[in-house]
Amino acid sequence: MRLTDAEKAMRDGQGGEAVAAAMDLLIRYGEALGAECLVETHNVTGTVTATTPFMRDFALEKGGMDAVFSEFSLDSRKVVNIPKVKAFSSHLQLGFDPHHPQEMGLSEEMVRFYRKSEAETARLGVQILNTCTPYQVGNVPTRGEHCAWMESSAVVYCNSVLGARTNTEGRESVGAAMLTCRIPDWGFHRDEGRRGTLGIHLDIPVETVEDWGLLGYWMGDWVQERVPVITGVGQVPNLPKLKHFGAAASSSGGVEMFHLVGITPEANTREQAYGGNTPTELRHYGARERAATLERINATGKDRQVDYVMLGCPHYTIEQIWEAAQLIEGRKVNPGTALWIWTPRAIKEIATRNGYTKIIEDAGGKILTDSCSAMSRAVPPGTRVVALDSAKQAHYLPAILGVQAWFGTTAQCIDAACTGRWSAA
Amino acid sequence: MNSAVIETIVIRGRKVVPGVAEGEALVTTEPISGWGGVDPRTGTIVEVRHELRGQSFAGKVLVFPGAKGSSGWSAMFHLARVMGTAPAAWLFNQMTAKVALGTVVTHAPAMTDFDIDPLTVIRTGDWVRVDADAGIVTITRK
């Protein structure tokens, strides 16, 4: 791989041992990919903190949080002193919500250890956003900005909706990028990697959050890792819709970028979206595809009695919390059912100031932060059947926890929370 | 009396992670998920609908099409390496950021871009020697 003089200096230790270890990993990773060089990045999103008993024991045994960062964020077996990060870096969601230890089934000792780990991460200069949606709370990359992001739903939003550039990075590559402001120049960093390769035409209106989730789930299953170009979009989708769309497509498949012709930044026209590529295939999405997808997502749903309604995958926007609060105001959550809504902490603060937290709590629901049930594996005790307005969560929760899942609209989910029954579909 | 016939096949490819290792092949035509797909404590595939569910890749030469799923792919196989359950070597067809980083952090030799698709010539149980530095895979079938 071709390195600049500054990169060679980092590799050779001029920035210290941790920077040298970071550069060594980036070179090994870039060569594995077949990249020709590295690209500068000043926007990194990933996971640094330690939230598992294994990580806690590793830290205690091998030399504290520097040992955890050396091994799991830099792939360095030697424990090196970790300096403050150079790149603007945001922390992703965690394996639990540290503010709700009881719901998470967390011991006090695990919370104490996490607090220490979080303080250390903050000291390094990593922003404790603790969300899968950094673009909601202070990290909105601009078009063309080179990023190094983890989290598939954030990656597809970053590339497609914002027009910024990132591959699906992992814990080690983002750790190295934080210290060096570099990442391999490969895949979605390059123009040729971003062009559409196949097409989808919408034969039916796709308008609601549910519609976009269904389209995304259908699309991901078909296109897998390819870059689809979608034509026939009517009403312009907003943030909650595109957040759900990308998350669904990166769950049933590995979609990291899509183009909506006339809407997303690199698709003013169909020609621009393909950038000279000839589409390898074109499919139509109509009523039959929508119905079959809904049936597929609901494949595990059998019993109508709902134990747990989970909203907020990806983390809810303030608009979605407002909607949920309006739907539930003056009603009560069924005694045998729990309602948990997940959002970034910064948005919960707004929800609280707006009175939505009180409305939801008065009804018997809870607003949780920093995590979700798929990440934390935490659900209310005795949960067998869940109701969800997220295709992504409906994909993962039955696989991870063995529960039955019903997928529908937010209104259907709130109804299920209040009646204890799934009456849709 | 039957004497065992030993057949040897050689295929060539590109080095992804340097090194030389050998072991028994574990072959799948299905992509592998990291987070939610493997248990690093035991080195087994746990994805519900995967054809290798319940099988161990620890110390094996894992032959597979590529990586799928969450960006936690590398972190899971990294944990497997630290826990001593990672594959001995990797052979795969589709390059992605996930599989590149995941194989790099296990420090086990890995190869891709083959002259002959390894999924068509390697069977589970074959003895496979991976010389990533020389770009050569030697398959011995009993």
Side-chain angles (χ1 to χ4, degrees), chain B residues 68-130:
Chain B
K68 64 168 184 177
S70 150
S71 57
W73 211 90
S74 64
M76 281 296 130
F77 284 102
H78 192 151
L79 272 176
R81 192 256 291 159
V82 171
M83 294 174 171
T85 64
W90 310 81
L91 306 174
F92 61 90
N93 289 324
Q94 201 199 351
M95 178 55 81
T96 56
K98 276 174 230 168
V99 77
L101 186 62
T103 55
V104 160
V105 300
T106 61
H107 298 259
M111 289 174 57
T112 191
D113 293 341
F114 298 99
D115 56 353
I116 300 167
D117 182 353
L119 292 172
T120 64
V121 292
I122 306 178
R123 295 180 205 154
T124 292
D126 289 351
W127 191 259
V128 178
R129 184 173 190 274
V130 178

Side-chain angles (χ1 to χ4, degrees), chain A residues 25 28-29 31-34 54 58 71-72 75 77 150-151 167-173 186 225 374-375 396 399-400, chain B residues 14-16 35 48 67-72 74-75 78-79 81-83 94-98 100-101 104-107:
Chain A
L25 171 63
R28 287 185 285 129
Y29 171 40
E31 284 176 349
L33 285 166
F54 178 82
F58 189 92
E71 177 63 69
F72 295 106
D75 188 33
R77 293 186 208 196
M150 291 176 69
E151 169 52 39
N167 292 309
T168 304
E169 296 299 342
R171 181 168 179 136
E172 303 83 0
S173 56
W186 188 84
E225 275 85 25
M375 288 295 295
Y396 279 115
I400 292 172
Chain B
R14 172 175 87 79
K15 169 180 76 180
V16 174
W35 182 81
V48 179
K68 64 168 184 177
S70 150
S71 57
S74 64
H78 192 151
L79 272 176
R81 192 256 291 159
V82 171
M83 294 174 171
Q94 201 199 351
M95 178 55 81
T96 56
K98 276 174 230 168
L101 186 62
V104 160
V105 300
T106 61
H107 298 259

Side-chain angles (χ1 to χ4, degrees), chain B:
Chain B
M1 194 175 147
N2 290 333
S3 62
V5 177
I6 295 175
E7 186 190 353
T8 299
I9 306 162
V10 173
I11 64 173
R12 283 160 208 284
R14 172 175 87 79
K15 169 180 76 180
V16 174
V17 180
V20 182
E22 54 189 292
E24 201 179 292
L26 180 65
V27 184
T28 177
T29 56
E30 297 178 0
I32 291 175
S33 274
W35 182 81
V38 299
D39 184 345
R41 291 167 301 184
T42 54
T44 50
I45 306 270
V46 296
E47 186 182 345
V48 179
R49 281 180 287 271
H50 203 280
E51 64 177 6
L52 292 187
R53 188 183 188 202
Q55 296 207 45
S56 169
F57 50 73
K60 306 256 175 78
V61 175
L62 190 54
V63 188
F64 64 117
K68 64 168 184 177
S70 150
S71 57
W73 211 90
S74 64
M76 281 296 130
F77 284 102
H78 192 151
L79 272 176
R81 192 256 291 159
V82 171
M83 294 174 171
T85 64
W90 310 81
L91 306 174
F92 61 90
N93 289 324
Q94 201 199 351
M95 178 55 81
T96 56
K98 276 174 230 168
V99 77
L101 186 62
T103 55
V104 160
V105 300
T106 61
H107 298 259
M111 289 174 57
T112 191
D113 293 341
F114 298 99
D115 56 353
I116 300 167
D117 182 353
L119 292 172
T120 64
V121 292
I122 306 178
R123 295 180 205 154
T124 292
D126 289 351
W127 191 259
V128 178
R129 184 173 190 274
V130 178
D131 183 343
D133 301 328
I136 292 174
V137 179
T138 311
I139 303 135
T140 308
R141 182 171 299 150
K142 283 182 188 167

